[in-house]
Amino acid sequence: MRVEKTPLSEHLDVMFDLLVKEDIQQAGSDDWTTGACMEYLLGNGVLEALVGLAETDQPVGARGVVISNLSTFISLTDDKLLVQKAVHNPLLELLHWYGSGETEDGSSPGPSYDECYVDLLYAICSKIRGDPMLLNIFFQDRKWLKSVEQRSFSSDSIAAMMRSIESLRSEGGTATSGFEFLLFSHLLRFVHRDGEVGDTARTSLLFLLELATTEIMASTGGNTALEMFILEDSGFSAILSATLGAMYSQLPRSLRVTTGPAAVIPESFPSYSADLQKAIESSIFSANDQHSLAERWPEDRAPVSSSSPEFRACLSSFASLLSFIQDILYRCPSAH
């Protein structure tokens, strides 16, 4: 049975609408206590049950419905809600089984759910960007997690984690030893994707990269640990380089200009990348001399038309990744 034939989607929409409205009302008043609906959710393992339902994906499609509703819920509620164990523990569990590529029953999460999953990752990254101390919920020191019983993250537990980082340094180790950052690792899987999924993943990664190279968490040393993890343990540079090379290899070796030097990059492309767009177009359209093409390329390799949809799609993907790398260089300076 598919989820469309059940009332699950409608019921979840109503439930999360009530929770978001209650949270907004509480935030707009002088009453800082938890609302009745939110109190029930936190005290009765509701999100844990929903993540369990998503893992089984029964009825079929329930996984997408649950992940989509969680994304909306995280986006529209208060940042501090992620501190609650009843909220972040189910999210961490979802990250573990979705990112592993195999659920408890041996089934694959399926590519059809990637869009809503990336939206959820973006929602979490946005909250971390707004409150950098939330990073410590998802950027975990395995050594520290094994030494204490996992509980709701508070200022005390975050401080304990930072002391663990300093201890690793004082012992002559690196701050990245034994760290796990599923949020970052999973986003890397989508860095090469086209369309909205790829754009959302790259934006989310940029939020985390900015955090790693700013002074926001310098007093705790957390940003140094994150920066070294990204540089040394995450495979970020290697994956990005390989992705860029793969996208470049998909571009044609020669090009026949059939429509003139019109903009190849979509009009929706960010305005700050105008120089990049001009450079790409200049490089491509300067090869309009057919005699030059004949000298450079064998006769059996005919030039590709510049109006070809396939060419434009490949070029747009390549330019999007170049723009992402440009953003990293401009917005995330690193001494390393």
Side-chain angles (χ1 to χ4, degrees):
M1 180 184 293
R2 294 199 58 84
V3 71
E4 291 85 355
K5 296 182 178 180
T6 72
L8 176 64
S9 182
E10 293 178 7
H11 289 173
L12 288 182
D13 286 344
V14 171
M15 183 185 80
F16 282 110
D17 281 347
L18 288 173
L19 287 166
V20 170
K21 288 177 181 178
E22 182 185 72
D23 188 69
I24 293 174
Q25 289 175 353
Q26 292 292 113
S29 67
D30 294 330
D31 184 6
W32 294 100
T33 60
T34 306
C37 295
M38 191 68 73
E39 191 68 39
Y40 183 87
L41 178 135
L42 297 176
N44 292 273
V46 175
L47 295 186
E48 183 179 356
L50 287 177
V51 169
L53 179 66
E55 184 174 9
T56 62
D57 199 25
Q58 293 296 326
V60 177
R63 186 172 297 158
V65 171
V66 170
I67 294 176
S68 180
N69 276 280
L70 284 176
S71 175
T72 303
F73 177 64
I74 297 300
S75 296
L76 299 179
T77 51
D78 189 83
D79 296 0
K80 297 294 188 278
L81 191 64
L82 275 176
V83 174
Q84 297 290 336
K85 182 178 179 180
V87 176
H88 66 246
N89 270 3
L91 290 176
L92 288 170
E93 178 63 25
L94 190 154
L95 290 178
H96 273 95
W97 61 253
Y98 196 105
S100 68
E102 189 173 289
T103 58
E104 193 175 67
D105 61 1
S107 63
S108 170
S112 60
Y113 303 115
D114 283 350
E115 185 173 351
C116 57
Y117 181 65
V118 171
D119 285 341
L120 174 61
L121 299 184
Y122 173 83
I124 296 172
C125 290
S126 297
K127 293 301 181 182
I128 294 174
R129 190 190 193 198
D131 184 359
M133 293 307 288
L134 293 174
L135 172 69
N136 298 284
I137 296 174
F138 300 93
F139 181 49
Q140 299 178 332
D141 178 2
R142 293 191 188 97
K143 194 172 183 180
W144 176 76
L145 288 173
K146 290 179 180 178
S147 65
V148 296
E149 180 182 355
Q150 190 172 1
R151 57 178 67 88
S152 179
F153 282 77
S154 63
S155 58
D156 291 338
S157 60
I158 290 173
M161 189 175 201
M162 290 303 102
R163 287 194 296 271
S164 174
I165 293 172
E166 293 302 324
S167 175
L168 285 170
R169 288 202 189 107
S170 64
E171 292 171 5
T174 64
T176 60
S177 300
F179 270 74
E180 179 180 74
F181 197 11
L182 294 178
L183 191 61
F184 190 88
S185 301
H186 292 185
L187 285 168
L188 277 180
R189 294 167 45 195
F190 302 99
V191 73
H192 69 285
R193 295 281 285 271
D194 297 330
E196 188 175 347
V197 170
D199 290 341
T200 303
R202 288 186 287 271
T203 301
S204 303
L205 282 169
L206 196 58
F207 288 166
L208 301 178
L209 290 165
E210 284 180 321
L211 190 62
T213 54
T214 60
E215 297 301 318
I216 297 174
M217 298 180 67
S219 59
T220 63
N223 66 329
T224 302
L226 176 58
E227 184 178 5
M228 297 310 296
F229 169 84
I230 292 171
L231 290 173
E232 297 181 0
D233 293 348
S234 69
F236 173 70
S237 299
I239 291 173
L240 204 59
S241 299
T243 302
L244 187 64
M247 287 186 172
Y248 181 78
S249 69
Q250 293 177 7
L251 295 174
R253 296 289 185 90
S254 59
L255 187 71
R256 183 180 68 259
V257 179
T258 56
T259 59
V264 180
I265 310 302
E267 293 181 1
S268 60
F269 211 66
S271 58
Y272 55 76
S273 296
D275 291 340
L276 175 62
Q277 175 175 328
K278 290 178 181 177
I280 293 173
E281 290 174 3
S282 175
S283 173
I284 291 170
F285 292 115
S286 63
N288 196 28
D289 186 345
Q290 296 301 318
H291 295 293
S292 175
L293 287 175
E295 293 174 0
R296 293 174 58 193
W297 306 112
E299 293 182 2
D300 61 346
R301 182 171 294 176
V304 175
S305 171
S306 62
S307 61
S308 164
E310 293 79 8
F311 162 71
R312 289 174 177 267
C314 289
L315 182 60
S316 180
S317 298
F318 180 68
S320 294
L321 190 61
L322 278 181
S323 178
F324 173 58
I325 294 173
Q326 177 180 271
D327 280 340
I328 295 172
L329 296 175
Y330 285 163
R331 296 165 59 177
C332 310
S334 172
H336 303 283

